[in-house]
Amino acid sequence: MTYFIFAGDMLVMAFMAGLVMWVSLSSSNEYIEESARIPLKDEEFVAREDVDG
């Protein structure tokens, strides 16, 4: 049972790593930079969302 859980965890981690590689290779540098800054500027992001909605 432990090996089954471990193998499942490895598959999920491989999927997430592949997803990150795919998104980073298919997106522009500006989009990646903007997405990376969201946690650093979350107050501005929330305020901008409140104005739009």
Side-chain angles (χ1 to χ4, degrees):
M1 184 67 179
T2 303
Y3 291 120
F4 179 72
I5 294 172
F6 179 74
D9 285 344
M10 292 297 111
L11 286 173
V12 169
M13 263 191 351
F15 171 75
M16 288 190 293
L19 185 65
V20 167
M21 288 175 33
W22 176 61
V23 168
S24 66
L25 290 175
S26 65
S27 298
S28 66
N29 286 338
E30 293 83 21
Y31 182 74
I32 294 172
E33 184 71 27
E34 182 182 349
S35 299
R37 293 197 176 273
I38 289 174
L40 301 174
K41 297 183 176 183
D42 58 344
E43 295 87 7
E44 295 173 13
F45 184 72
V46 170
R48 196 172 351 147
E49 256 185 10
D50 290 341
V51 171
D52 292 340

